[in-house]
């Protein structure tokens, strides 16, 4: 399978889903965009890495990983978004130390935050881009086009439409249903949602 290189176009905040962000990756030699819904912490970490002038007073988790890797001569050579299952993207860090290459599994948002810090290229497979890539109708004269924001909101809403959006919805579930939702959230690596469900279970 052929690899397609991606660049980071930006991060958009959903106006309709509180705390949800969409990371937009852009096909280097094409017009398709790959949107990935990420959490607030990862969005902040990626945004800080994109803005070179901003330096937090203490290292963030991804900065700590970079400092640790530098100290032990580990380099992230590239990131590959290698799988898409039920709307969840899976990624790998291709690392190298002493000319020995290792592949490490990672959440896509973490992998991209690290790729920025190591100035490592980001790739995905053509079949993933064929399946999940979209064309955003952006006016070339307006980088912050409203059409772009509307489509990003639609993407986030579609990704999150089956998730409980309020405490009332969780309260209406019985214990068995809550445990099932908790398992699904953990499997999808949605730890923010899992924490809310766990809290609701603890109240019972």
């Amino acid at each position: 399978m052929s690899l397609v290189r991606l660049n980071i176009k930006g991060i958009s905040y959903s106006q309709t889903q509180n705390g949800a962000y969409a990371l937009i990756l852009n096909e280097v030699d094409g017009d398709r965009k790959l949107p990935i819904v990420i959490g607030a912490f990862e969005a902040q970490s990626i945004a800080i890495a994109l803005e070179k002038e901003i330096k937090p007073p203490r290292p963030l988790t991804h900065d700590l990983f970079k400092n640790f890797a530098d100290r032990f001569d580990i380099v992230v050579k590239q990131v590959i978004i290698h799988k898409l299952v039920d709307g969840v993207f899976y990624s790998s860090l291709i690392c190298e130390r002493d000319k020995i290459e290792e592949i490490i599994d990672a959440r896509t948002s973490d992998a991209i935050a690290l790729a920025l810090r190591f100035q490592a290229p980001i790739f995905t497979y053509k079949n993933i881009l064929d399946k999940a890539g979209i064309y955003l109708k952006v006016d070339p004269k307006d980088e912050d086009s409203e059409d772009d924001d509307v489509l990003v909101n639609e993407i986030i809403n579609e990704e999150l439409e089956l998730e409980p959006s309020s405490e009332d919805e969780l309260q209406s579930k019985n214990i068995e249903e809550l445990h099932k939702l908790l398992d699904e959230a953990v499997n999808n690596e949605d730890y923010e949602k899992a924490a809310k469900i766990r809290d609701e279970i603890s109240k019972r």
Side-chain angles (χ1 to χ4, degrees):
M1 289 183 288
S2 59
L3 287 171
V4 179
R5 185 163 180 176
L6 303 168
N7 283 334
I8 297 173
K9 181 181 186 296
I11 300 171
S12 293
Y13 177 72
S14 172
Q15 301 299 320
T16 56
Q17 289 283 348
N18 189 33
Y21 293 80
L23 172 66
I24 310 297
L25 302 176
N26 188 69
E27 182 182 15
V28 169
D29 296 318
D31 298 321
R32 286 177 294 182
K33 310 291 188 290
L34 190 66
I36 301 173
V37 177
I38 62 176
F41 172 77
E42 291 79 10
Q44 179 190 51
S45 182
I46 291 169
I48 286 174
L50 287 170
E51 294 290 337
K52 306 293 185 184
E53 290 79 18
I54 300 176
K55 190 172 180 64
R58 301 293 294 159
L60 300 177
T61 302
H62 299 110
D63 298 320
L64 175 61
F65 185 100
K66 174 67 163 59
N67 295 339
F68 184 90
D70 288 345
R71 184 67 58 90
F72 291 96
D73 298 322
I74 300 167
V75 179
V76 174
K77 304 292 289 184
Q78 62 183 13
V79 164
I80 299 177
I81 303 170
H82 63 83
K83 188 167 67 172
L84 173 61
V85 179
D86 296 330
V88 179
F89 292 91
Y90 294 79
S91 296
S92 296
L93 300 171
I94 312 302
C95 304
E96 186 178 278
R97 181 172 184 263
D98 295 334
K99 296 184 179 180
I100 298 173
E101 195 173 273
E102 298 283 352
I103 300 174
I104 300 174
D105 182 45
R107 292 191 307 164
T108 297
S109 53
D110 289 330
I112 290 171
L114 290 171
L116 283 169
R117 286 161 170 80
F118 283 91
Q119 298 182 344
I122 303 164
F123 296 93
T124 191
Y125 289 109
K126 183 178 180 297
N127 65 321
I128 292 177
L129 198 56
D130 290 341
K131 182 178 179 181
I134 61 170
Y135 291 92
L136 290 181
K137 302 172 185 175
V138 180
D139 184 345
K141 297 178 183 177
D142 184 2
E143 286 290 328
D144 299 319
S145 168
E146 288 184 8
D147 289 343
D148 195 342
D149 291 338
V150 169
L151 281 168
V152 164
N153 278 323
E154 288 176 357
I155 292 160
I156 293 176
N157 290 338
E158 184 178 338
E159 290 287 336
L160 302 180
E161 64 182 356
L162 297 179
E163 298 185 3
S165 57
S166 70
E167 290 184 6
D168 291 340
E169 289 186 48
L170 289 178
Q171 288 170 1
S172 68
K173 306 288 185 185
N174 62 38
I175 286 291
E176 187 178 337
E177 290 171 327
L178 286 172
H179 279 290
K180 185 177 179 182
L181 284 173
L182 179 60
D183 290 340
E184 289 175 0
V186 171
N187 288 336
N188 290 333
E189 299 178 348
D190 187 345
Y191 301 117
E192 185 177 347
K193 176 184 171 185
K196 291 177 182 177
I197 298 169
R198 183 199 59 214
D199 291 343
E200 181 61 32
I201 292 172
S202 299
K203 293 176 187 177
R204 303 296 175 92

